[in-house]
Amino acid sequence: MTLTIDRRLLVKASLLGLGALAIPGTAAILAARAFTHGVASGEPGPTSVLLWTRHVAANDSRLQCEVADDAAFTHIVGGGAVTARGDADHTAKLVVTGLKPGRWYFYRFIAEDGTKSPVGRTRTLPVGNVGHFGIGLFSCSNMPFGWFNAYGHAAARNDLDLLIHVGDYIYEYGGDTYPAPKDRVPGREVQPGHEILTLADYRLRHAAYRADPDLQALHQRFPMIAQWDDHEIANDSWEGGAQNHQPATEGDWATRKAIAERVYREWMPVSDRTYDSFQIGTLATIFRPETRITGRTKQLELAGALAGRADIDRALIDFRDGPWSAPERTLMGMQQERWLDGEFDRSTASGTRWQVLAQQIVMGSMRFPADAADWIPTNAPDAARRRAVALTAASKAGLPFNMDAWDGYPAARSRLLRKAQATGSNLVVLSGDSHNAWGNNLVEDGRPAGVEFAGHSVTSPGFENYFPQTAAADVARALRATNPGLMFTDTSRRGYVSLAITPDEVVGDWHFVDSIRTRGTVLAGSHRMRVAMNRRVLQES
C-alpha cells in the first residue's frame, strides 16, 4: 500500500481540530466520527496498564473502554469511561487498574454511536519469580527515509512481552532537509512539508507517522515504554536550546519545547511522569530516565575548542582536561541522578537480578579510527575533510567523536557506572540515537560495570551515509580496533533489537531488515550476543 497522505485534507483536518486521516484517501472520514489512528497501550504495571486511542468528532466525545480476557470480549474484566478531548487533538488515555499480573488482555473503545475501535492486545507485568521476559528495542524512525519494516517484523512476533522505544519516534525536519530530496522514498511523505514549530505542526507530524500501518500494528499488539530523544523536539536538544532551533527566526525555545512535550504526551501511550522505573518480578528493574531536556548541559563542540589555536594538539589536551572533564556537566540533572542512584539501591537491595537502563544515547566510549580520514569521498566538501582530520587528532588525545552521547559527559557517566559497581548491579544499558548497532562492554576504573545493547535505527541512515566508498566491514573493523570496549558493530543496516531476559543471562539479537526502500518483513540476518549473570561482559553466542 502506498502511504501518501493528501496534504490538503490534512491541513483542512488540522484547522478543524480533526487531525489526520487513519487511511489515506478516505476523505469521508473527516465528516464522521472515527477512530482514526488505532489503539495503543503503555507503561504497564502488575495490575494496571495505560490505554490510548484517538476518536475524531466535532467536539469532545465520550468513550467507553472495555478490557477482556479474550479477543471476543465474552469475559470483560475491566475498563471505564474516558473523553477524547478536542483540546488534546481528540486523543484519549485511560489507566485501567484491577488487572492480574503477567496476563495478556484485549481492549477496545466504543463511541456513543456504537462505533468500535480496533481491538488491541496488551500485557501486565509479572510478579514473583519470572523465568523469561522478551523485549523489543526501537529507535530513530525517520519516515521519508523508508518503510518501517522493523515495526512490521516485530509486530508479527509472539515472543515479546514489552516494547521499548528510546526516541526519535518522529523527526522535525522539513521536506528538503533530512533526508535530502534525492534520498526520499516515494510514498513516505509526511506533513506538514516544512519544519515543525507550532502546536498544529507537531500534531500533524505525529498524525502522519501514526498513520503508518506497521507502526499501528506494533502498538496494537504490545504495550510500550517510550521516551523522547531530540528529534521529537529539535535536533541535539539540551535544557536551554537545540542545534536545530534558531530563536531569532523560530521563536522562544521554552515555548517550542513545551509544545513538543505536550503533543508527545497527547499522541503517545505515556503518563506525565518524566522518568520512571518498572519492575519485572524478581527478574529485572527497567529504569527509564530522561536525558535530553530535563537537566542536560549544552553539548561541547570540538570546533570551539580549536578556534584560534595554532597548536591543535595543545588545544585538544586543554579541552580534554578542562571543559570535557568538568564534573558539573550532566545529562540528567543532579535531581534525576539522585533518583537513579536510589533506584539502583532499591533494585539490588530487593534481590532483583538485572538492572536495565533504557535510555536514549550511546554510553560506550567511541573514538574515531586513525585511518578514518581516508574514508572521506574524494568529492566531499572541504569542511568534511577538515572535520575528519580534527576527529582523528581528537582520538589521539583520547577524545570521542560524538559529544552529544554519554561520551560528551564523561564525569556523569563515571558517576553512574560507579554507582552500578558499588551496588553490585548487573547493569544492561539499552540505547538508540546513533542509527548504528553497537555492543559495548562498559568499564569504569578498569573494572567491568555492565554491558550495552545499542540499537540501530528503524530507517535513519548510519555511517554508510557518510562513508559510502568504504566497505561496511572495513568501517566496523577499524572501529573495533580503536575502541577496546566495542565487541560488535554494524554501521550500514537498519532494523531493531530483541532481548530475552532470564535469571541466568540476557541474550540480545540485532535484527537487520532486508530493505527499507520497499515494504516487507524479510530479514537480511541477525547478530546475537549474551551476558551471563555476574559476568558483566558481552560474549558471542
Side-chain angles (χ1 to χ4, degrees):
M1 181 180 76
T2 300
L3 192 65
T4 304
I5 303 173
D6 189 320
R7 185 175 187 271
R8 292 168 298 177
L9 293 177
L10 285 168
V11 172
K12 180 181 179 182
S14 179
L15 292 173
L16 292 174
L18 299 178
L21 302 179
I23 304 173
T26 57
I29 205 170
L30 288 171
R33 297 181 179 188
F35 291 96
T36 60
H37 287 79
V39 294
S41 66
E43 301 193 7
T47 61
S48 65
V49 68
L50 186 153
L51 303 179
W52 178 98
T53 193
R54 184 169 189 260
H55 183 263
V56 169
N59 299 297
D60 292 356
S61 51
R62 194 69 169 164
L63 308 175
Q64 188 68 33
C65 177
E66 294 180 341
V67 178
D69 282 333
D70 62 316
F73 288 83
T74 58
H75 184 214
I76 296 174
V77 298
V82 64
T83 299
R85 302 190 343 261
D87 65 358
D89 207 14
H90 300 277
T91 60
K93 292 191 288 189
L94 174 70
V95 176
V96 176
T97 59
L99 305 176
K100 295 180 180 180
R103 294 280 298 274
W104 287 105
Y105 289 97
F106 299 87
Y107 64 96
R108 66 187 178 189
F109 294 86
I110 304 173
E112 291 178 313
D113 64 358
T115 304
K116 294 182 177 66
S117 73
V119 174
R121 188 186 72 156
T122 192
R123 185 171 176 82
T124 52
L125 298 182
V127 298
N129 294 328
V130 179
H132 180 279
F133 195 81
I135 291 175
L137 173 66
F138 304 89
S139 64
C140 305
S141 44
N142 189 321
M143 192 169 178
F145 269 114
W147 291 90
F148 293 161
N149 294 333
Y151 293 155
H153 185 272
R157 294 178 62 156
N158 292 311
D159 59 347
L160 300 178
D161 299 290
L162 179 69
L163 309 176
I164 298 178
H165 203 295
V166 292
D168 295 344
Y169 184 96
I170 68 165
Y171 279 70
E172 83 278 18
Y173 296 111
D176 59 350
T177 305
Y178 185 70
K182 66 180 179 61
D183 296 321
R184 302 176 75 84
V185 172
R188 300 297 285 169
E189 295 83 7
V190 294
Q191 303 299 333
H194 55 264
E195 183 179 329
I196 53 177
L197 292 170
T198 68
L199 180 63
D201 289 344
Y202 277 92
R203 283 174 167 173
L204 195 54
R205 186 63 58 87
H206 273 272
Y209 272 69
R210 288 293 290 275
D212 178 83
D214 293 311
L215 180 52
Q216 285 195 14
L218 190 71
H219 275 300
Q220 190 173 348
R221 293 207 67 218
F222 301 103
M224 177 182 284
I225 294 172
Q227 181 62 281
W228 59 67
D229 193 22
D230 52 339
H231 289 292
E232 289 89 346
I233 310 162
N235 182 56
D236 285 359
S237 304
W238 58 287
E239 185 179 15
Q243 176 275 330
N244 193 31
H245 181 78
Q246 291 71 46
T249 57
E250 296 177 328
D252 177 58
W253 166 248
T255 299
R256 184 177 188 178
K257 183 168 67 170
I259 287 171
E261 182 175 345
R262 171 181 172 174
V263 176
Y264 185 88
R265 296 197 188 284
E266 288 174 348
W267 276 86
M268 296 293 290
V270 298
S271 67
D272 290 340
R273 294 185 293 276
T274 303
Y275 43 89
D276 207 349
S277 63
F278 302 85
Q279 193 67 28
I280 316 299
T282 61
L283 182 65
T285 306
I286 300 174
F287 312 123
R288 189 210 62 193
E290 197 287 312
T291 63
R292 271 293 162 193
I293 58 175
T294 299
R296 179 190 273 250
T297 310
K298 186 177 181 180
Q299 299 90 336
L300 296 171
E301 295 183 8
L302 278 177
L306 299 177
R309 299 289 296 269
D311 187 339
I312 292 179
D313 292 338
R314 182 71 253 172
L316 289 170
I317 292 171
D318 291 344
F319 174 74
R320 181 196 65 196
D321 297 342
W324 182 67
S325 300
E328 66 271 16
R329 291 182 49 74
T330 175
L331 273 167
M332 298 185 293
M334 297 311 298
Q335 179 178 337
Q336 194 178 176
E337 284 194 23
R338 288 191 293 271
W339 165 80
L340 186 56
D341 284 351
E343 290 297 295
F344 275 120
D345 289 334
R346 181 187 62 79
S347 179
T348 53
S350 70
T352 301
R353 296 187 67 78
W354 299 97
Q355 288 67 46
V356 180
L357 181 63
Q359 52 85 59
Q360 292 69 57
I361 52 177
V362 175
M363 185 171 287
S365 182
M366 299 284 183
R367 291 182 295 115
F368 206 57
D371 59 350
D374 297 333
W375 300 346
I376 304 298
T378 56
N379 60 346
D382 288 342
R385 292 191 167 281
R386 288 195 299 271
R387 178 167 174 76
V389 170
L391 288 174
T392 301
S395 179
K396 292 177 181 177
L399 288 164
F401 61 76
N402 185 5
M403 294 293 174
D404 185 56
W406 281 94
D407 261 343
Y409 304 79
R413 177 174 56 194
S414 291
R415 289 193 294 269
L416 190 156
L417 294 179
R418 286 169 183 161
K419 182 64 180 182
Q421 290 172 327
T423 54
S425 293
N426 279 278
L427 175 64
V428 177
V429 176
L430 308 182
S431 314
D433 182 63
S434 78
H435 308 175
N436 302 291
W438 314 97
N440 283 307
N441 287 335
L442 303 174
V443 177
E444 185 62 30
D445 297 328
R447 297 184 294 119
V451 302
E452 178 177 34
F453 294 92
H456 45 320
S457 65
V458 173
T459 60
S460 302
F463 273 38
E464 81 281 5
N465 199 50
Y466 306 102
F467 310 118
Q469 297 175 358
T470 304
D474 293 339
V475 173
R477 200 160 28 243
L479 285 164
R480 286 197 59 187
T482 305
N483 299 288
L486 181 60
M487 298 294 102
F488 165 72
T489 185
D490 186 295
T491 62
S492 65
R493 296 185 288 179
R494 310 299 115 228
Y496 70 106
V497 177
S498 65
L499 299 111
I501 305 177
T502 67
D504 295 327
E505 64 179 2
V506 174
V507 178
D509 288 278
W510 287 268
H511 303 291
F512 304 102
V513 296
D514 184 62
S515 174
I516 59 172
R517 302 290 298 183
T518 57
R519 189 181 176 201
T521 57
V522 176
L523 291 183
S526 298
H527 185 85
R528 174 172 292 183
M529 299 197 83
R530 65 180 70 232
V531 56
M533 172 61 53
N534 294 323
R535 290 292 305 277
R536 301 178 183 87
V537 293
L538 287 173
Q539 297 174 311
E540 293 286 349
S541 182

